[in-house]
Amino acid sequence: EYQDCLRFKLFRDKLSFEYVMEFFDTDTSNNVMSTGSGIYRLFSAHAISYRPVPSLLFTLSEDIMYVSDSVDPHYLNPSTLYHNLNNSTLLNAIAHVAFSFSPMKGVNTYGQFVLDQATAPTEASTQAAAWGISLGIEGVFKAGKGTIEYNAEGACTTPELYRRQKADF
């Protein structure tokens, strides 16, 4: 009840773009909600989805948690690539690519690769990569007078995906 959200979505036949901002009024020094704390927390996400055929969907998304004593307007730009900003004192960015494929009626397969942090081959860094992957299948079919639903999912992540030093989620 203490959060405000702004969301817009542009779409056409096979392509869509979505942008979400959620504003938190939080004092991060003691992890309690407090009006007028002087600390701004913002969740921002943007995603591009493409559906080349009705049964297949690809999505590319990037999300951030931003914490600062002021709001820098260029962090509000929906086309900003947050991973290029590389400022861990202000934000933590996470990106993912996902797919969903329905090969037949009642069956859906899906997967996602998420990247929180990586080091390019030319960078000198002591931080380990933080990523994860998940794959799944779900569906429903008739069984007599009822239906049977099923779901199976597997996931693998690096431990670093959950070990953050300065990120405030």
Side-chain angles (χ1 to χ4, degrees):
E1 68 187 85
Y2 299 107
Q3 299 165 2
D4 297 311
C5 179
L6 174 66
R7 175 180 180 243
F8 72 89
K9 186 170 186 173
L10 304 170
F11 55 92
R12 186 130 170 127
D13 297 335
K14 297 181 179 190
L15 190 66
S16 70
F17 176 78
E18 186 171 10
Y19 182 59
V20 177
M21 286 189 304
E22 188 166 359
F23 304 93
F24 303 95
D25 184 19
T26 304
D27 179 350
T28 58
S29 65
N30 58 13
N31 292 324
V32 297
M33 304 299 260
S34 65
T35 305
S37 66
I39 300 293
Y40 298 94
R41 291 182 67 217
L42 166 71
F43 169 77
S44 180
H46 50 210
I48 296 175
S49 296
Y50 177 61
R51 187 178 296 276
V53 293
S55 61
L56 182 62
L57 176 68
F58 293 103
T59 301
L60 177 63
S61 178
E62 186 182 36
D63 315 335
I64 64 163
M65 281 300 299
Y66 172 87
V67 179
S68 181
D69 59 359
S70 64
V71 176
D72 188 340
H74 81 272
Y75 289 104
L76 305 178
N77 182 345
S79 64
T80 297
L81 294 178
Y82 300 118
H83 276 77
N84 288 344
L85 301 176
N86 196 24
N87 188 342
S88 63
T89 60
L90 291 180
L91 62 91
N92 184 54
I94 190 166
H96 78 264
V97 60
F99 79 92
S100 175
F101 176 62
S102 297
M104 65 185 77
K105 186 175 181 176
V107 177
N108 184 51
T109 59
Y110 58 92
Q112 182 180 82
F113 175 77
V114 63
L115 178 65
D116 186 28
Q117 143 184 319
T119 304
T122 57
E123 288 181 295
S125 176
T126 59
Q127 293 184 333
W131 58 267
I133 189 167
S134 67
L135 295 170
I137 186 168
E138 61 189 357
V140 61
F141 60 89
K142 289 183 180 183
K145 293 184 179 182
T147 61
I148 295 178
E149 295 182 29
Y150 62 92
N151 184 322
E153 183 174 282
C156 176
T157 67
T158 60
E160 288 76 13
L161 192 59
Y162 303 99
R163 297 179 189 158
R164 312 303 296 158
Q165 291 180 355
K166 294 184 179 180
D168 174 19
F169 297 104

